[in-house]
Amino acid sequence: SSELTQDPAVSVALGQTVRITCQGDSLRSYSANWYQQKPRQAPLLVIYHTSNRPSGIPDRFSGSSSGNTASLTITGAQAEDEADYYCNSRDSSGDYVFGTGTKVTVL
Amino acid sequence: QVQLVQSGVEVKRPGASAKVSCKASGYTFTNFAITWVRQAPGQGLEWMGWISVFTGDTKYGQKIQGRATMTTDTSTRTAYLELRSLRSDDTAIYFCARENNNGWYFDLWGQGTLVTVSS
């Protein structure tokens, strides 16, 4: 099955911009989705199919993709954005896969 | 209210089986697939497989292939995950999630069920 690789941790100053990346060969063919997970909570979908925001997700969350890399950008990070973030996609066999996860710390 | 509500904590011995339930409400149950995801303590998310509620078709991840069975009961709007021959590394929080019809993303999640495997 395919793999999706993320940086383990990033930090961002309050109000600044942070970009989280997700790399994998399957991203050349299939779009990425992004989830936010806070401690002791279920994941929450924040971006689907590369760049679409579900209803209720603040517009400071945006997504993009190029080649084998998908990105989630938080513009003007807030304290409540501190969480783990996971990408997910699928491969050609129909298996789904999650990225390794990125812990975002807001300073 | 649109939600998925899962069953409670389970503690099992190695070699036993566990069955987690996921009850849907607030939407047409048969219109969406259900995916199961697990998260070992301090670890990331692992996709386990999905079931089409409408057809009953299933697809399992390689890691749990042969030990897991996903089913649904449309009369009670409930999805089930059974995991057999439990090992200590099956200790995890198990989540059910609704798969959106537009493709491989999960727009509604259950609260999670902790399954602990310990002798």
Side-chain angles (χ1 to χ4, degrees), chain B residues 11-117:
Chain B
V11 181
K12 298 292 182 180
R13 301 291 190 199
S17 297
K19 192 169 186 176
V20 178
S21 68
C22 169
K23 185 173 179 61
S25 61
Y27 72 92
T28 304
F29 185 53
T30 51
N31 283 1
F32 298 86
I34 293 287
T35 269
W36 290 90
V37 175
R38 70 180 178 180
Q39 186 170 35
Q43 302 301 307
L45 302 174
E46 177 190 357
W47 176 77
M48 300 180 69
W50 59 252
I51 180 166
S52 166
V53 176
F54 184 71
T55 65
D57 290 343
T58 54
K59 185 165 179 58
Y60 298 100
Q62 292 177 7
K63 195 170 178 184
I64 52 92
Q65 180 88 37
R67 288 200 301 128
T69 301
M70 297 174 190
T71 58
T72 62
D73 182 341
T74 56
S75 68
T76 60
R77 306 165 57 84
T78 304
Y80 297 94
L81 168 68
E82 182 178 30
L83 194 57
R84 300 176 294 278
S85 302
L86 289 167
R87 311 185 292 239
S88 58
D89 63 353
D90 291 317
T91 293
I93 297 174
Y94 289 76
F95 294 100
C96 62
R98 185 180 76 174
E99 179 179 341
N100 192 280
N101 288 334
N102 291 324
W104 54 93
Y105 63 93
F106 316 117
D107 60 5
L108 180 67
W109 291 71
Q111 83 277 18
T113 297
L114 175 62
V115 176
T116 299
V117 183

Side-chain angles (χ1 to χ4, degrees), chain A residues 83-104:
Chain A
D84 295 328
Y85 290 83
Y86 295 91
C87 59
N88 104 278
S89 189
R90 56 163 289 175
D91 65 21
S92 56
S93 72
D95 281 358
Y96 298 165
V97 61
F98 284 94
T100 50
T102 298
K103 181 177 181 61
V104 173

Side-chain angles (χ1 to χ4, degrees), chain A residues 60-94:
Chain A
R60 63 179 180 272
F61 291 91
S62 63
S64 62
S65 183
S66 178
N68 73 335
T69 302
S71 301
L72 172 70
T73 300
I74 308 173
T75 303
Q78 302 300 301
E80 61 264 32
D81 300 334
E82 186 163 291
D84 295 328
Y85 290 83
Y86 295 91
C87 59
N88 104 278
S89 189
R90 56 163 289 175
D91 65 21
S92 56
S93 72

Side-chain angles (χ1 to χ4, degrees), chain A residues 19-99:
Chain A
R19 188 176 75 167
I20 306 161
T21 61
C22 171
Q23 287 190 302
D25 287 341
S26 64
L27 297 180
R28 297 185 185 278
S29 302
Y30 301 101
S31 59
N33 313 299
W34 292 91
Y35 304 85
Q36 175 193 72
Q37 187 182 32
K38 296 181 180 179
R40 295 172 297 283
Q41 294 186 18
L44 172 71
L45 179 70
V46 294
I47 293 288
Y48 65 94
H49 285 322
T50 303
S51 58
N52 297 281
R53 265 180 295 106
S55 174
I57 299 301
D59 60 6
R60 63 179 180 272
F61 291 91
S62 63
S64 62
S65 183
S66 178
N68 73 335
T69 302
S71 301
L72 172 70
T73 300
I74 308 173
T75 303
Q78 302 300 301
E80 61 264 32
D81 300 334
E82 186 163 291
D84 295 328
Y85 290 83
Y86 295 91
C87 59
N88 104 278
S89 189
R90 56 163 289 175
D91 65 21
S92 56
S93 72
D95 281 358
Y96 298 165
V97 61
F98 284 94

